[in-house]
Each structure stands twice: as C-alpha cells, then as structure tokens.
Amino acid sequence: MKNANFFIPVSGINICLLGFSFGLPADLIAQDKNIYDIRKPNIVLIISDEHDGKIMRCMGDPYVHTPNLDALAESGILFRSHYCASPISGPSRQSLTTGKYVSHHNVWGNTVGCPNDILSLPRIMQQQGYETVLTGGMKYNGLNYGWSSYTVANGYRAARERNKREGSDIPKKRTRMTPGVFSDNGTSIGKEFAPIGVTDMDLFTDVSRSKDAIAYIKNRANEKQPFFLLVGLMAPHYPLQSTQELVDKYKDKIPMPEIPEGYLDNLPLNYKHLRNTRQLEKVPAEVVKLARECYYARVEWADEQIGKVIETVKESPMADNTIIIYTSDHGENLGEHGLWWKNCLYDCSARVPLIISNPKRWKGGQVRSKNTESVDLVQTIADLGGAEVPEDWDGESMLPYLNDLAYNWKDFAVCEYYAGYVASGITMYRRGKWKYVYHARMNAKYGPEIELYDMERDPKELVNLGREKQYKTLILELHKELASRLGEDPEQIERRYRSGAIPEAPQGVIETNQCN
C-alpha cells in the first residue's frame, strides 16, 4: 500500500512515516528516541567523486597507494564489478537517493533533481527509526531529500522540508548536437586541465567534510538510536592537484594510456563528439603524463581523508555494530580511449569501487566478482535497516550475496548516459562477461551504433565485437534483455529525453494540440 508522506519531529529529528509501514508506534517514537531497536546496525556510507573502480591497490593497481581502502577491503568484502547508474554526478547520485535507474527518475544531467518530497532512501530508513545525516555534498542543488546535516560549526540541523523543486518544472524540448559536424579546436585543450600540479590541500573542501563526519560519529557515541550517515566527499574529482609530496611520489611512475594505432578512428561517433566538444583531441603528451600522476596523487590524498573517518568508527564504542560502505558516483577516463573525465560507458568511467565492511557480521578478505549496480546498493542498505522499498524501485538487495558467495546472484548491471557532449543517449548492459553498449539513433543518417566486449578476454575494451556477424544473435538477446530491464527500448528513452522528460513529466512535452 502506498500512502502520502508526513513527518513527526522527534528531539530535533525528522522521522518520515509512510502510512502504517513504519517499524515502531508513533506515540512511542515521540516519547523517547532511546527506545529504538539497538540491534539495527549503524551504517556509514562514504561516497567519493570520480574514482575509477580499478585504481586501488586492493583491486590490483600496482602504482597507487591506498592503505586505508585496502585495509577496509581486508576487513570486509570487495566488489570487483560494481557499476554506477550514470557516468555523471547528478543522475548517479539521484539513483543512489531514489533507488531508480536514470531513465526511471528522469534526472539526466547535473541539473535540478527530483522533487524534494519524494520517498527517498533516507526517508524509508527514518521509518525504521534511523537518524539520517549527510555531511559533505551530494550535488542536490540545495535540496536534501530528507537528510539532516551535521557540521563542526553548526552541529546538528534537521532537514528543511521544501516540497517544490528549485527551478522550472515545465518540460522543454531538448536538442542534440548535429552528428558528424566537428569544431576545429586548434591546439586548445579542455579547461579541466588547468589548474594542474601542486597545491595546498589543507584548503580543499574534503578537509572540513571529513572533520564534520568525524565530529558527528564522536557525538553519536552514547546514543542508542541507530544512524545512517552519508559522507559526501569530492576528491579525487578534479582539479588535478595534490600536495608536493604526493605529486613527487608518482612522478615518472604512471604509464601512459594504451591506445593502439588507428584505434581512435574507429571510436563510436558519440565518443568522437565527446573528444571534440570537450577539447580532448590534442592533449600534449606532457599534460597527459602530469594529469595521470596528479590523479593518482589525488586518489591517495582522498584515501587519507577516508581513512580518518574509518578510524573514527573503529575507535568508537559503536564499531561492532557499524557497517562501513565505500563507493563513488562514477569513474575517470584518465586518457584511456582518448577520453578524459567521465561521460562514457567504458569501465574506467562507469565502474566504481564498492567495499562493504563489518567484521562482526562478515569475514574479511572476501571478494565478489559478479556484476552489481548502484540501485542494488540502495536495496542492500534498506534491507540492512529493515526498511521496505517502494515497488517501483530498481535493483535487488545484495544481502544474500554478501552472506553467501555461492548465492545465485543476478550478475547484471545497467548504466545510462543521456546528458551533454554526445549526439544520442548511450546505454550499457553488463551480463556476466559480456558488455553490451547501445548508442541510440542520432538522426536518419547516423546510428544506432553498437559495442560488444568480452570482458574476460578484453578487460581494457579495445576490441569491439559489435560489428562481427557471429555475435548478431547474442547482441539481439542482450538488447532484448536490456529493454526488458528498463521497461522500454533505449530508442524510446532517447525520444522521451528529446521531448523534455523530467520527473514531473516523464513522458516529456505534451503538445497543445494533443490536449484537445
């Protein structure tokens, strides 16, 4: 049964109740927050920004130094094939908040998100008695979706409940760039390459964000009410800068991207547009080298901040009953495939880290290699908290897979990109070892285009099998499965995107003459 949300203030905490689906009687909740079920685990979810899922020592990268994340993996369970919902922050983080695929919540880019009063992950956790707090950022553009906040400067602040989105809620038709038409950028390169190099990281925002998280955890030490804390960090997201010590540490250590001769000529047209629009076609070798070194330095710096939060949990009296989760919103191309930043569906952009740790619950040092996706993580957090998710949320709880390596896990993931810099939407379906990527039709002349990779034989995704006739049957099968998972064909999603679909108008613009 689905009912309207309403809120009851409890000792400065907003508890979201959905009809009668909450876990404790409202009159008891209102009397004393210390009667919460202390058996429920505390959950600390750390989300970084732009962390390529393979660039951790525990994932086999021989160059990076990530002792804190490696230790977390050693004490927990490492997921080797975990995918974000979209290789761009806004849509990806909306999926982590709403529990839905991008084409189901209809937030396509880094714009205003869903209405603030939706039934979100923090709100369904509140139904089970959790205090839900966000320290740092989630690119919500001023909205909070039920998260309260905590900072060293201001302490605890309850969520401000605003039911209207900031910005227009009127759908408007969208236009794509003209396919096959490219700009002459000369020797210009993307603005994200500057600044680059050495800086004083003491001034970077994650310093205060990690301090806020640490202060909150210490402040909760004597509370009985379970908490769900989301720590939103920015690094290793650019600028490509780090401390002198760390930049020097990686100097001349990081190999250049592997790009076979002639490879760039055969990129899908969307990625050629991405290279052209973001001015990535003529990045000098010395800039490529320094940028990769600085990114590795920045990953290590981020690991230091994450380690401080993890250590605070471990030193607290709540350690045995606190689950620590680390992930990121999307990856970083780092020059591979001739691309930088994100916005594509190669693994360097779409695959993200995932580590889940609580030594009292799960034996450490375990690995899960089957495909998982961010909406699965949302379902898992809800399951750990005893929360019931709405019927229209996507994904499956990974709790049975966490508990048993032999569990018959679904082993697939979906990732979608419909935002800017490309001429049509791109959708990925990873099933087992196969990775299928569909570029929707751009116009009558161009598209659709298909990529197919055998990720066991070709983990770097350098050999596109999508043009080979022997895989035609497999491609048709994978496309049918993808459309089934999404509930519509990617071509229909592209049409909805162009028509102006937003959360309030998922089908897009309704023409005036259609209303007569």
Side-chain angles (χ1 to χ4, degrees):
M1 178 181 296
K2 295 182 180 179
N3 302 283
N5 297 347
F6 60 95
F7 295 85
I8 295 178
V10 182
S11 303
I13 303 162
N14 287 332
I15 303 297
C16 170
L17 307 180
L18 178 64
F20 298 95
S21 63
F22 47 88
L24 294 169
D27 56 340
L28 289 180
I29 294 176
Q31 291 174 19
D32 184 1
K33 71 178 182 179
N34 289 330
I35 51 82
Y36 288 93
D37 185 354
I38 61 174
R39 292 171 297 175
K40 292 182 182 295
N42 302 309
I43 300 172
V44 177
L45 171 61
I46 305 171
I47 301 179
S48 65
D49 198 326
E50 203 147 334
H51 189 179
D52 179 346
K54 70 178 179 297
I55 301 183
M56 299 187 292
R57 186 63 65 92
C58 57
M59 282 290 288
D61 188 293
Y63 309 105
V64 75
H65 187 62
T66 49
N68 295 295
L69 290 173
D70 298 343
L72 187 66
E74 186 60 32
S75 70
I77 301 175
L78 173 69
F79 288 75
R80 298 190 63 86
S81 191
H82 184 69
Y83 287 88
C84 64
S86 183
I88 185 173
S89 294
S92 177
R93 291 169 185 265
Q94 287 284 316
S95 291
L96 287 164
T97 305
T98 67
K100 297 180 180 181
Y101 290 135
V102 172
S103 57
H104 293 173
H105 61 59
N106 294 313
V107 179
W108 312 95
N110 289 335
T111 58
V112 176
C114 292
N116 195 50
D117 59 351
I118 61 166
L119 188 58
S120 60
L121 176 59
R123 288 192 173 117
I124 67 168
M125 295 296 279
Q126 289 167 15
Q127 294 170 19
Q128 296 302 313
Y130 277 82
E131 179 176 84
T132 59
V133 172
L134 167 64
T135 63
M138 276 288 282
K139 289 186 170 64
Y140 284 157
N141 295 305
L143 303 180
N144 56 64
Y145 301 107
W147 292 107
S148 297
S149 65
Y150 191 96
T151 62
V152 173
N154 300 312
Y156 175 88
R157 287 193 173 183
R160 294 177 295 122
E161 298 306 329
R162 295 178 299 170
N163 293 334
K164 286 188 70 65
R165 297 191 335 156
E166 292 185 348
S168 172
D169 58 359
I170 301 174
K172 299 177 181 178
K173 288 186 177 180
R174 301 180 178 95
T175 57
R176 291 286 194 190
M177 63 175 58
T178 304
V181 177
F182 298 90
S183 300
D184 182 358
N185 295 316
T187 58
S188 298
I189 61 174
K191 63 181 180 180
E192 292 90 349
F193 289 107
I196 187 171
V198 174
T199 192
D200 181 1
M201 294 298 288
D202 290 343
L203 304 176
F204 191 65
T205 184
D206 283 353
V207 174
S208 61
R209 289 180 174 187
S210 61
K211 287 180 179 178
D212 291 339
I214 289 167
Y216 173 78
I217 294 166
K218 290 182 176 179
N219 187 60
R220 291 295 275 99
N222 297 316
E223 297 284 343
K224 293 183 179 180
Q225 178 190 5
F227 68 86
F228 174 26
L229 171 66
L230 194 163
V231 185
L233 302 178
M234 184 175 177
H237 189 285
Y238 54 79
L240 292 167
Q241 294 178 297
S242 192
T243 63
Q244 183 75 63
E245 177 185 4
L246 290 176
V247 172
D248 289 346
K249 181 175 182 176
Y250 290 97
K251 185 177 181 181
D252 302 328
K253 301 283 177 53
I254 310 304
M256 296 290 275
E258 181 180 342
I259 302 177
E261 185 176 353
Y263 174 82
L264 298 178
D265 295 333
N266 293 312
L267 280 175
L269 185 55
N270 266 328
Y271 294 155
K272 291 180 179 179
H273 277 294
L274 180 56
R275 277 170 48 80
N276 180 254
T277 307
R278 298 300 294 269
Q279 299 182 327
L280 305 176
E281 296 161 310
K282 297 180 181 179
V283 184
E286 62 271 19
V287 175
V288 172
K289 176 179 179 295
L290 178 59
R292 286 169 67 87
E293 293 167 355
C294 287
Y295 180 81
Y296 270 73
R298 204 164 175 82
V299 168
E300 180 169 343
W301 185 88
D303 178 85
E304 293 175 4
Q305 309 313 306
I306 294 165
K308 294 174 184 177
V309 177
I310 294 172
E311 191 61 28
T312 303
V313 172
K314 290 183 176 180
E315 292 178 350
S316 76
M318 308 171 292
D320 287 350
N321 195 40
T322 300
I323 296 169
I324 301 174
I325 303 171
Y326 173 69
T327 191
S328 193
D329 59 355
H330 55 75
E332 159 60 50
N333 294 311
L334 216 58
E336 303 294 344
H337 308 280
L339 299 169
W340 289 85
W341 326 128
K342 48 265 186 180
N343 314 113
C344 76
L345 296 180
Y346 293 115
D347 264 21
C348 43
S349 182
R351 188 176 64 169
V352 293
L354 178 61
I355 303 171
I356 301 178
S357 175
N358 179 272
K360 289 292 182 179
R361 184 181 288 254
W362 303 290
K363 180 182 178 182
Q366 296 189 61
V367 173
R368 299 290 183 269
S369 297
K370 292 183 178 180
N371 301 301
T372 58
E373 50 188 342
S374 62
V375 289
D376 296 331
L377 178 57
V378 175
Q379 292 271 355
T380 305
I381 292 170
D383 200 0
L384 288 167
E388 183 176 347
V389 304
E391 293 179 359
D392 64 347
W393 283 19
D394 299 305
E396 296 180 20
S397 171
M398 298 184 292
L399 191 53
Y401 190 35
L402 281 163
N403 293 337
D404 182 6
L405 174 63
Y407 176 76
N408 186 26
W409 177 246
K410 65 178 192 176
D411 197 18
F412 72 79
V414 172
C415 187
E416 303 172 274
Y417 184 74
Y418 283 86
Y421 314 116
V422 293
S424 68
I426 316 169
T427 310
M428 180 210 82
Y429 182 56
R430 175 78 194 268
R431 188 196 73 183
K433 72 172 185 175
W434 296 109
K435 183 174 183 179
Y436 172 67
V437 181
Y438 183 83
H439 298 252
R441 181 173 294 280
M442 300 172 184
N443 59 19
K445 181 179 179 181
Y446 293 100
E449 285 191 85
I450 289 170
E451 297 174 84
L452 178 69
Y453 300 100
D454 181 335
M455 300 299 289
E456 290 181 358
R457 295 186 176 184
D458 179 29
K460 294 183 179 181
E461 300 167 272
L462 295 174
V463 181
N464 180 10
L465 304 173
R467 301 181 181 97
E468 298 188 17
K469 292 182 179 180
Q470 62 181 307
Y471 295 103
K472 182 178 180 179
T473 300
L474 174 62
I475 288 170
L476 291 173
E477 176 186 318
L478 292 171
H479 189 89
K480 183 177 179 179
E481 287 186 24
L482 170 61
S484 176
R485 306 295 183 195
L486 293 175
E488 59 185 330
D489 192 272
E491 290 292 345
Q492 176 60 29
I493 298 172
E494 174 68 9
R495 286 193 290 270
R496 287 200 298 109
Y497 169 86
R498 295 188 185 207
S499 73
I502 59 174
E504 287 85 353
Q507 299 306 316
V509 176
I510 299 176
E511 300 290 355
T512 302
N513 60 6
Q514 294 178 343
C515 298
N516 295 332

